[in-house]
Amino acid sequence: KVRLDGNTNLLAALRDAGVRRYLLQSSGFWYAPGSVLADESVPFISSASPGVEAAARTYLELEARASATTGIDFVALRYGFFYGPGTWYTREGDIGEQVRQQQVPIIGEGQGVYSFVHIDDAAGATAAALECPPGAYNIVDGNPSPQHLWLTAFARAAGAPAPPRVSAAEALRALGPDAVYYATRLRGASNEKAGRELEFRPRPLEWILGQ
């Protein structure tokens, strides 16, 4: 509700404020499933687990409303999972503690592909988007990683044991359908357009350097 109503209110206020460019925080990990990295032309997912499907619909509506607003240059920044200082994905934060307590398992084959982005790289891309051509941009690092790879490397970096492995059926009962979707069906995104138009050069995901 905050996102949708806030987006509507901001769009309504743009003309009165004389604003000509609107940068929207969108998402780079709600793409419809596929075997290759998704570029910005790939549609958002329309059928998934309940929480994932609802989130995808929210971002689809945010972008649709902004793109239908006349008289503005609209830029959708489709960020990956933020990591780095002050974010969820840090060794010292909540996810690090959960991994050390063996609370985050690899589900099934762990083939769901995550697109991360360091928070400082995301900030740099946001600044560059003040002057880029309008449109959607995937703001993700250049090495999207399946869950079994990044989670194992993260656990090692966090000083934790190797993550436990559970079947999709076990995870469905214990963790719910959204967790299973993330771990097994999530699709990674390509940052090729951002590299070309924003000169976006994100650092490699730090946990898997040298792996």
mmCIF file of all heavy atoms in Angstrom, residues 30-65:
data_model
loop_
_atom_site.group_PDB
_atom_site.id
_atom_site.type_symbol
_atom_site.label_atom_id
_atom_site.label_comp_id
_atom_site.label_asym_id
_atom_site.label_seq_id
_atom_site.Cartn_x
_atom_site.Cartn_y
_atom_site.Cartn_z
ATOM 1 N N TRP A 30 12.102 -10.522 -10.474
ATOM 2 C CA TRP A 30 10.738 -11.034 -10.619
ATOM 3 C C TRP A 30 10.439 -11.430 -12.062
ATOM 4 O O TRP A 30 9.303 -11.406 -12.504
ATOM 5 C CB TRP A 30 9.708 -9.980 -10.182
ATOM 6 C CG TRP A 30 9.785 -9.575 -8.753
ATOM 7 C CD1 TRP A 30 9.813 -8.318 -8.268
ATOM 8 C CD2 TRP A 30 9.813 -10.428 -7.607
ATOM 9 N NE1 TRP A 30 9.875 -8.320 -6.903
ATOM 10 C CE2 TRP A 30 9.874 -9.589 -6.462
ATOM 11 C CE3 TRP A 30 9.809 -11.811 -7.430
ATOM 12 C CZ2 TRP A 30 9.923 -10.103 -5.172
ATOM 13 C CZ3 TRP A 30 9.869 -12.312 -6.139
ATOM 14 C CH2 TRP A 30 9.917 -11.462 -5.033
ATOM 15 N N TYR A 31 11.444 -11.761 -12.835
ATOM 16 C CA TYR A 31 11.232 -12.118 -14.231
ATOM 17 C C TYR A 31 10.618 -13.512 -14.378
ATOM 18 O O TYR A 31 10.866 -14.401 -13.562
ATOM 19 C CB TYR A 31 12.552 -12.064 -15.000
ATOM 20 C CG TYR A 31 13.014 -10.654 -15.279
ATOM 21 C CD1 TYR A 31 14.162 -10.143 -14.688
ATOM 22 C CD2 TYR A 31 12.288 -9.828 -16.130
ATOM 23 C CE1 TYR A 31 14.592 -8.843 -14.942
ATOM 24 C CE2 TYR A 31 12.701 -8.527 -16.389
ATOM 25 C CZ TYR A 31 13.849 -8.040 -15.795
ATOM 26 O OH TYR A 31 14.257 -6.760 -16.047
ATOM 27 N N ALA A 32 9.833 -13.661 -15.453
ATOM 28 C CA ALA A 32 9.271 -14.979 -15.768
ATOM 29 C C ALA A 32 10.397 -15.996 -15.932
ATOM 30 O O ALA A 32 11.468 -15.663 -16.448
ATOM 31 C CB ALA A 32 8.439 -14.887 -17.047
ATOM 32 N N PRO A 33 10.192 -17.223 -15.495
ATOM 33 C CA PRO A 33 11.258 -18.229 -15.568
ATOM 34 C C PRO A 33 11.770 -18.431 -16.996
ATOM 35 O O PRO A 33 11.036 -18.273 -17.974
ATOM 36 C CB PRO A 33 10.573 -19.498 -15.049
ATOM 37 C CG PRO A 33 9.465 -19.008 -14.187
ATOM 38 C CD PRO A 33 8.986 -17.746 -14.838
ATOM 39 N N GLY A 34 13.052 -18.767 -17.087
ATOM 40 C CA GLY A 34 13.680 -19.037 -18.367
ATOM 41 C C GLY A 34 15.076 -19.574 -18.141
ATOM 42 O O GLY A 34 15.601 -19.534 -17.023
ATOM 43 N N SER A 35 15.684 -20.068 -19.212
ATOM 44 C CA SER A 35 16.968 -20.749 -19.080
ATOM 45 C C SER A 35 18.166 -19.819 -19.213
ATOM 46 O O SER A 35 19.292 -20.222 -18.926
ATOM 47 C CB SER A 35 17.074 -21.865 -20.128
ATOM 48 O OG SER A 35 16.941 -21.317 -21.434
ATOM 49 N N VAL A 36 17.960 -18.582 -19.664
ATOM 50 C CA VAL A 36 19.065 -17.629 -19.809
ATOM 51 C C VAL A 36 18.765 -16.397 -18.965
ATOM 52 O O VAL A 36 17.638 -16.194 -18.502
ATOM 53 C CB VAL A 36 19.277 -17.223 -21.287
ATOM 54 C CG1 VAL A 36 19.632 -18.433 -22.120
ATOM 55 C CG2 VAL A 36 18.027 -16.542 -21.854
ATOM 56 N N LEU A 37 19.787 -15.563 -18.757
ATOM 57 C CA LEU A 37 19.588 -14.346 -17.984
ATOM 58 C C LEU A 37 18.561 -13.449 -18.680
ATOM 59 O O LEU A 37 18.569 -13.313 -19.907
ATOM 60 C CB LEU A 37 20.908 -13.600 -17.817
ATOM 61 C CG LEU A 37 22.003 -14.334 -17.048
ATOM 62 C CD1 LEU A 37 23.255 -13.455 -16.966
ATOM 63 C CD2 LEU A 37 21.540 -14.730 -15.654
ATOM 64 N N ALA A 38 17.703 -12.846 -17.894
ATOM 65 C CA ALA A 38 16.621 -12.026 -18.437
ATOM 66 C C ALA A 38 17.101 -10.613 -18.714
ATOM 67 O O ALA A 38 17.711 -9.976 -17.849
ATOM 68 C CB ALA A 38 15.456 -11.989 -17.457
ATOM 69 N N ASP A 39 16.804 -10.119 -19.919
ATOM 70 C CA ASP A 39 17.018 -8.699 -20.156
ATOM 71 C C ASP A 39 15.721 -7.946 -19.848
ATOM 72 O O ASP A 39 14.724 -8.542 -19.425
ATOM 73 C CB ASP A 39 17.528 -8.434 -21.579
ATOM 74 C CG ASP A 39 16.518 -8.788 -22.664
ATOM 75 O OD1 ASP A 39 15.294 -8.872 -22.380
ATOM 76 O OD2 ASP A 39 16.945 -8.969 -23.819
ATOM 77 N N GLU A 40 15.728 -6.647 -20.082
ATOM 78 C CA GLU A 40 14.613 -5.815 -19.643
ATOM 79 C C GLU A 40 13.334 -6.023 -20.458
ATOM 80 O O GLU A 40 12.257 -5.564 -20.064
ATOM 81 C CB GLU A 40 15.024 -4.336 -19.687
ATOM 82 C CG GLU A 40 16.053 -3.941 -18.654
ATOM 83 C CD GLU A 40 17.493 -4.271 -19.020
ATOM 84 O OE1 GLU A 40 17.706 -4.900 -20.107
ATOM 85 O OE2 GLU A 40 18.401 -3.933 -18.254
ATOM 86 N N SER A 41 13.423 -6.736 -21.582
ATOM 87 C CA SER A 41 12.238 -7.006 -22.397
ATOM 88 C C SER A 41 11.433 -8.206 -21.895
ATOM 89 O O SER A 41 10.286 -8.410 -22.305
ATOM 90 C CB SER A 41 12.644 -7.253 -23.857
ATOM 91 O OG SER A 41 13.356 -8.476 -23.985
ATOM 92 N N VAL A 42 12.016 -8.998 -21.004
ATOM 93 C CA VAL A 42 11.326 -10.184 -20.481
ATOM 94 C C VAL A 42 10.223 -9.731 -19.523
ATOM 95 O O VAL A 42 10.444 -8.868 -18.679
ATOM 96 C CB VAL A 42 12.320 -11.107 -19.763
ATOM 97 C CG1 VAL A 42 11.600 -12.253 -19.061
ATOM 98 C CG2 VAL A 42 13.340 -11.652 -20.754
ATOM 99 N N PRO A 43 9.021 -10.294 -19.628
ATOM 100 C CA PRO A 43 7.944 -9.887 -18.712
ATOM 101 C C PRO A 43 8.182 -10.367 -17.286
ATOM 102 O O PRO A 43 8.907 -11.340 -17.060
ATOM 103 C CB PRO A 43 6.706 -10.550 -19.309
ATOM 104 C CG PRO A 43 7.238 -11.722 -20.075
ATOM 105 C CD PRO A 43 8.575 -11.307 -20.608
ATOM 106 N N PHE A 44 7.556 -9.674 -16.351
ATOM 107 C CA PHE A 44 7.557 -10.145 -14.972
ATOM 108 C C PHE A 44 6.701 -11.407 -14.875
ATOM 109 O O PHE A 44 5.806 -11.640 -15.687
ATOM 110 C CB PHE A 44 7.008 -9.076 -14.032
ATOM 111 C CG PHE A 44 7.971 -7.959 -13.735
ATOM 112 C CD1 PHE A 44 7.578 -6.893 -12.929
ATOM 113 C CD2 PHE A 44 9.260 -7.947 -14.241
ATOM 114 C CE1 PHE A 44 8.450 -5.852 -12.647
ATOM 115 C CE2 PHE A 44 10.143 -6.922 -13.966
ATOM 116 C CZ PHE A 44 9.731 -5.871 -13.161
ATOM 117 N N ILE A 45 6.988 -12.185 -13.853
ATOM 118 C CA ILE A 45 6.279 -13.450 -13.691
ATOM 119 C C ILE A 45 4.794 -13.206 -13.416
ATOM 120 O O ILE A 45 4.421 -12.240 -12.747
ATOM 121 C CB ILE A 45 6.918 -14.276 -12.560
ATOM 122 C CG1 ILE A 45 6.380 -15.684 -12.586
ATOM 123 C CG2 ILE A 45 6.701 -13.631 -11.192
ATOM 124 C CD1 ILE A 45 7.192 -16.649 -11.777
ATOM 125 N N SER A 46 3.953 -14.077 -13.961
ATOM 126 C CA SER A 46 2.507 -13.932 -13.759
ATOM 127 C C SER A 46 1.916 -15.068 -12.933
ATOM 128 O O SER A 46 0.803 -14.954 -12.431
ATOM 129 C CB SER A 46 1.786 -13.865 -15.117
ATOM 130 O OG SER A 46 2.050 -15.033 -15.882
ATOM 131 N N SER A 47 2.656 -16.162 -12.782
ATOM 132 C CA SER A 47 2.161 -17.289 -12.001
ATOM 133 C C SER A 47 3.300 -17.864 -11.177
ATOM 134 O O SER A 47 4.298 -18.333 -11.733
ATOM 135 C CB SER A 47 1.597 -18.363 -12.936
ATOM 136 O OG SER A 47 1.151 -19.484 -12.199
ATOM 137 N N ALA A 48 3.149 -17.784 -9.853
ATOM 138 C CA ALA A 48 4.224 -18.235 -8.956
ATOM 139 C C ALA A 48 3.620 -18.530 -7.593
ATOM 140 O O ALA A 48 2.401 -18.584 -7.434
ATOM 141 C CB ALA A 48 5.313 -17.169 -8.865
ATOM 142 N N SER A 49 4.469 -18.705 -6.596
ATOM 143 C CA SER A 49 3.987 -18.854 -5.226
ATOM 144 C C SER A 49 3.315 -17.553 -4.800
ATOM 145 O O SER A 49 3.585 -16.480 -5.365
ATOM 146 C CB SER A 49 5.151 -19.209 -4.304
ATOM 147 O OG SER A 49 6.155 -18.209 -4.384
ATOM 148 N N PRO A 50 2.435 -17.596 -3.804
ATOM 149 C CA PRO A 50 1.595 -16.424 -3.494
ATOM 150 C C PRO A 50 2.362 -15.139 -3.217
ATOM 151 O O PRO A 50 2.038 -14.081 -3.772
ATOM 152 C CB PRO A 50 0.801 -16.875 -2.261
ATOM 153 C CG PRO A 50 0.748 -18.365 -2.369
ATOM 154 C CD PRO A 50 2.050 -18.770 -2.989
ATOM 155 N N GLY A 51 3.380 -15.202 -2.372
ATOM 156 C CA GLY A 51 4.117 -13.985 -2.042
ATOM 157 C C GLY A 51 4.895 -13.441 -3.221
ATOM 158 O O GLY A 51 4.942 -12.225 -3.447
ATOM 159 N N VAL A 52 5.516 -14.328 -3.990
ATOM 160 C CA VAL A 52 6.282 -13.919 -5.165
ATOM 161 C C VAL A 52 5.349 -13.314 -6.208
ATOM 162 O O VAL A 52 5.636 -12.260 -6.793
ATOM 163 C CB VAL A 52 7.055 -15.114 -5.744
ATOM 164 C CG1 VAL A 52 7.638 -14.784 -7.114
ATOM 165 C CG2 VAL A 52 8.158 -15.551 -4.784
ATOM 166 N N GLU A 53 4.230 -13.957 -6.450
ATOM 167 C CA GLU A 53 3.286 -13.451 -7.444
ATOM 168 C C GLU A 53 2.754 -12.075 -7.043
ATOM 169 O O GLU A 53 2.639 -11.177 -7.887
ATOM 170 C CB GLU A 53 2.141 -14.448 -7.604
ATOM 171 C CG GLU A 53 1.206 -14.148 -8.758
ATOM 172 C CD GLU A 53 0.195 -15.254 -8.977
ATOM 173 O OE1 GLU A 53 0.583 -16.431 -8.956
ATOM 174 O OE2 GLU A 53 -0.993 -14.917 -9.162
ATOM 175 N N ALA A 54 2.434 -11.895 -5.767
ATOM 176 C CA ALA A 54 1.922 -10.600 -5.305
ATOM 177 C C ALA A 54 2.978 -9.510 -5.454
ATOM 178 O O ALA A 54 2.671 -8.378 -5.860
ATOM 179 C CB ALA A 54 1.474 -10.707 -3.854
ATOM 180 N N ALA A 55 4.224 -9.818 -5.130
ATOM 181 C CA ALA A 55 5.293 -8.831 -5.265
ATOM 182 C C ALA A 55 5.517 -8.450 -6.715
ATOM 183 O O ALA A 55 5.690 -7.276 -7.055
ATOM 184 C CB ALA A 55 6.589 -9.371 -4.647
ATOM 185 N N ALA A 56 5.504 -9.441 -7.607
ATOM 186 C CA ALA A 56 5.685 -9.160 -9.029
ATOM 187 C C ALA A 56 4.564 -8.269 -9.549
ATOM 188 O O ALA A 56 4.803 -7.337 -10.331
ATOM 189 C CB ALA A 56 5.742 -10.462 -9.815
ATOM 190 N N ARG A 57 3.334 -8.535 -9.121
ATOM 191 C CA ARG A 57 2.205 -7.691 -9.546
ATOM 192 C C ARG A 57 2.377 -6.260 -9.063
ATOM 193 O O ARG A 57 2.056 -5.302 -9.772
ATOM 194 C CB ARG A 57 0.883 -8.252 -9.004
ATOM 195 C CG ARG A 57 0.328 -9.414 -9.801
ATOM 196 C CD ARG A 57 -1.161 -9.624 -9.526
ATOM 197 N NE ARG A 57 -1.455 -9.692 -8.108
ATOM 198 C CZ ARG A 57 -1.478 -10.816 -7.404
ATOM 199 N NH1 ARG A 57 -1.209 -11.971 -7.990
ATOM 200 N NH2 ARG A 57 -1.770 -10.804 -6.119
ATOM 201 N N THR A 58 2.882 -6.094 -7.841
ATOM 202 C CA THR A 58 3.094 -4.753 -7.302
ATOM 203 C C THR A 58 4.064 -3.967 -8.173
ATOM 204 O O THR A 58 3.792 -2.826 -8.566
ATOM 205 C CB THR A 58 3.630 -4.829 -5.861
ATOM 206 O OG1 THR A 58 2.630 -5.412 -5.025
ATOM 207 C CG2 THR A 58 3.991 -3.449 -5.326
ATOM 208 N N TYR A 59 5.210 -4.574 -8.493
ATOM 209 C CA TYR A 59 6.198 -3.857 -9.296
ATOM 210 C C TYR A 59 5.707 -3.635 -10.722
ATOM 211 O O TYR A 59 6.001 -2.595 -11.330
ATOM 212 C CB TYR A 59 7.523 -4.615 -9.287
ATOM 213 C CG TYR A 59 8.278 -4.428 -7.997
ATOM 214 C CD1 TYR A 59 8.290 -5.408 -7.010
ATOM 215 C CD2 TYR A 59 8.969 -3.250 -7.749
ATOM 216 C CE1 TYR A 59 8.975 -5.222 -5.830
ATOM 217 C CE2 TYR A 59 9.664 -3.059 -6.566
ATOM 218 C CZ TYR A 59 9.660 -4.049 -5.605
ATOM 219 O OH TYR A 59 10.333 -3.855 -4.434
ATOM 220 N N LEU A 60 4.949 -4.574 -11.256
ATOM 221 C CA LEU A 60 4.379 -4.399 -12.585
ATOM 222 C C LEU A 60 3.442 -3.197 -12.605
ATOM 223 O O LEU A 60 3.470 -2.369 -13.523
ATOM 224 C CB LEU A 60 3.620 -5.665 -12.990
ATOM 225 C CG LEU A 60 3.026 -5.683 -14.398
ATOM 226 C CD1 LEU A 60 4.116 -5.592 -15.455
ATOM 227 C CD2 LEU A 60 2.195 -6.948 -14.591
ATOM 228 N N GLU A 61 2.633 -3.066 -11.564
ATOM 229 C CA GLU A 61 1.710 -1.929 -11.488
ATOM 230 C C GLU A 61 2.455 -0.618 -11.276
ATOM 231 O O GLU A 61 2.105 0.408 -11.882
ATOM 232 C CB GLU A 61 0.690 -2.152 -10.363
ATOM 233 C CG GLU A 61 -0.382 -1.073 -10.318
ATOM 234 C CD GLU A 61 -1.507 -1.385 -9.354
ATOM 235 O OE1 GLU A 61 -1.594 -2.529 -8.861
ATOM 236 O OE2 GLU A 61 -2.309 -0.468 -9.089
ATOM 237 N N LEU A 62 3.475 -0.625 -10.442
ATOM 238 C CA LEU A 62 4.273 0.587 -10.244
ATOM 239 C C LEU A 62 4.838 1.086 -11.566
ATOM 240 O O LEU A 62 4.746 2.278 -11.901
ATOM 241 C CB LEU A 62 5.421 0.304 -9.269
ATOM 242 C CG LEU A 62 5.079 0.070 -7.803
ATOM 243 C CD1 LEU A 62 6.314 -0.393 -7.043
ATOM 244 C CD2 LEU A 62 4.510 1.329 -7.166
ATOM 245 N N GLU A 63 5.434 0.184 -12.316
ATOM 246 C CA GLU A 63 6.034 0.581 -13.591
ATOM 247 C C GLU A 63 4.960 1.009 -14.599
ATOM 248 O O GLU A 63 5.150 1.982 -15.347
ATOM 249 C CB GLU A 63 6.878 -0.560 -14.158
ATOM 250 C CG GLU A 63 8.158 -0.823 -13.377
ATOM 251 C CD GLU A 63 9.147 -1.666 -14.160
ATOM 252 O OE1 GLU A 63 8.986 -1.785 -15.412
ATOM 253 O OE2 GLU A 63 10.080 -2.203 -13.544
ATOM 254 N N ALA A 64 3.833 0.292 -14.628
ATOM 255 C CA ALA A 64 2.780 0.619 -15.592
ATOM 256 C C ALA A 64 2.211 2.013 -15.340
ATOM 257 O O ALA A 64 1.982 2.783 -16.278
ATOM 258 C CB ALA A 64 1.677 -0.432 -15.531
ATOM 259 N N ARG A 65 1.985 2.349 -14.085
ATOM 260 C CA ARG A 65 1.431 3.669 -13.771
ATOM 261 C C ARG A 65 2.413 4.773 -14.143
ATOM 262 O O ARG A 65 2.022 5.818 -14.680
ATOM 263 C CB ARG A 65 1.092 3.754 -12.284
ATOM 264 C CG ARG A 65 -0.106 2.919 -11.863
ATOM 265 C CD ARG A 65 -0.454 3.149 -10.395
ATOM 266 N NE ARG A 65 -1.529 2.276 -9.947
ATOM 267 C CZ ARG A 65 -2.037 2.307 -8.721
ATOM 268 N NH1 ARG A 65 -1.552 3.155 -7.817
ATOM 269 N NH2 ARG A 65 -3.010 1.487 -8.385
#
